[in-house]
Amino acid sequence: MTVKLQMLGTGSAFAKQYANNNGIISTSSTKLFIDCGITAPLALHQLGLTFDQLDGAIITHLHGDHVGGLEEYGFQMMFRYKRKPKLYIANTLVEPLWEHTLKGGMSQPGLECLEDVFDVHPLVPETSYVIDDECSIRLIQTPHIPNKYSYSLVVNEIFFYSADMRFQPQLLEQLVQQGISSIWHDCQLIGAGEVHATITELLSLPPATQSLISLMHYGDERSEWEGRTGLMPFVEPHHVYTIVT
């Protein structure tokens, strides 16, 4: 049983060199976006892939660098490939994704709700869902923007993908105690950590925890931080990682 993750981009919302922090999670039978942001369509093309080669998407929250590519994805799948892709999304985000993000650009006669475009799978947070025989996922609500729903992702109960979240050392320690053996964490390299964990905060974690963490969602100033991130390496864009075996 093998689950792999390839990042289309590893950059922050404002990064230009590294593209949006979106990935492709895959098993032997399933291939899904983890988020589909503004740069995802171009990044997919640069990897020589097309939208119809993916089965759907897992969405963590509604910022443009995480959902800004869904309009093109939905339209291409509808009009070019004649298929509804699966959309795994927290039940709290289903209505706002359509009403506040996609409706203005996508609505037209015969296309009046999210379900007209996607095969929507609403997920109840803190509940495990089987994707296929090799992969299960669980959403955890984690703090990002005050008063807005945002979720991190647990895969097969051993891999944690933070999406976007503020520093939560107690949660990280709890996850490790529960058996999480690999953590991919968003990391703000400069400035105060108002909506993301900063490198300074992450470096305050115990070495045993740092050794499980890889850094993503970083800015274009990454080169200035090479060799200065403790035991935590940077996730590389386009590299295919085996995250669960």
Side-chain angles (χ1 to χ4, degrees):
M1 181 172 68
T2 301
V3 181
K4 295 182 178 181
L5 183 53
Q6 180 179 31
M7 297 302 286
L8 295 168
T10 52
S12 68
F14 305 142
K16 300 299 181 284
Q17 182 176 347
Y18 294 104
N20 295 155
N21 197 80
N22 307 157
I24 297 174
I25 188 169
S26 60
T27 68
S28 59
S29 61
T30 305
K31 192 183 296 286
L32 300 168
F33 284 110
I34 298 182
D35 291 326
C36 183
I38 296 166
T39 64
L42 178 58
L44 193 72
H45 173 74
Q46 290 171 337
L47 283 176
L49 299 173
T50 55
F51 282 123
D52 66 315
Q53 293 177 270
L54 282 83
D55 300 289
I58 302 166
I59 299 301
T60 64
H61 65 292
L62 303 187
H63 281 153
D65 57 321
H66 295 264
V67 296
L70 284 179
E71 180 176 315
E72 181 178 347
Y73 183 31
F75 274 148
Q76 281 215 34
M77 293 303 296
M78 172 175 283
F79 296 115
R80 178 174 292 181
Y81 301 112
K82 313 298 182 183
R83 176 167 63 86
K84 285 185 182 181
K86 295 179 180 179
L87 191 69
Y88 295 96
I89 182 170
N91 54 5
T92 57
L93 297 178
V94 173
E95 181 179 1
L97 175 60
W98 179 255
E99 292 295 330
H100 304 308
T101 302
L102 297 178
K103 182 178 181 179
M106 299 195 77
S107 61
Q108 56 187 277
L111 204 168
E112 299 173 352
C113 64
L114 195 63
E115 290 78 6
D116 288 337
V117 187
F118 297 99
D119 176 14
V120 181
H121 293 252
L123 307 182
V124 177
E126 294 294 357
T127 302
S128 182
Y129 291 87
V130 174
I131 300 298
D132 62 22
D133 291 342
E134 298 170 276
C135 180
S136 66
I137 62 172
R138 176 167 59 92
L139 295 179
I140 299 175
Q141 185 175 349
T142 45
H144 180 36
I145 301 296
N147 302 317
K148 283 193 173 185
Y149 289 109
S150 186
Y151 299 90
S152 296
L153 182 68
V154 175
V155 179
N156 286 15
E157 298 301 327
I158 62 173
F159 175 79
F160 178 76
Y161 181 100
S162 75
D164 292 359
M165 77 173 193
R166 300 197 298 273
F167 187 50
Q168 299 293 297
Q170 291 182 336
L171 172 61
L172 296 177
E173 294 302 318
Q174 180 183 9
L175 289 168
V176 171
Q177 292 173 6
Q178 292 173 351
I180 294 294
S181 58
S182 180
I183 297 168
W184 284 20
H185 207 298
D186 56 313
C187 178
Q188 185 173 321
L189 296 175
I190 58 174
E194 297 179 2
V195 297
H196 292 282
T198 67
I199 184 61
T200 300
E201 290 171 326
L202 292 169
L203 284 168
S204 73
L205 292 168
T209 303
Q210 284 189 46
S211 69
L212 305 179
I213 294 176
S214 297
L215 305 175
M216 60 182 186
H217 204 287
Y218 41 77
D220 287 339
E221 64 279 354
R222 170 187 153 165
S223 62
E224 302 170 21
W225 287 86
E226 297 289 352
R228 299 170 56 197
T229 60
L231 300 175
M232 301 173 288
F234 289 112
V235 176
E236 299 292 343
H238 300 177
H239 182 79
V240 178
Y241 293 87
T242 298
I243 60 169
V244 178
T245 57

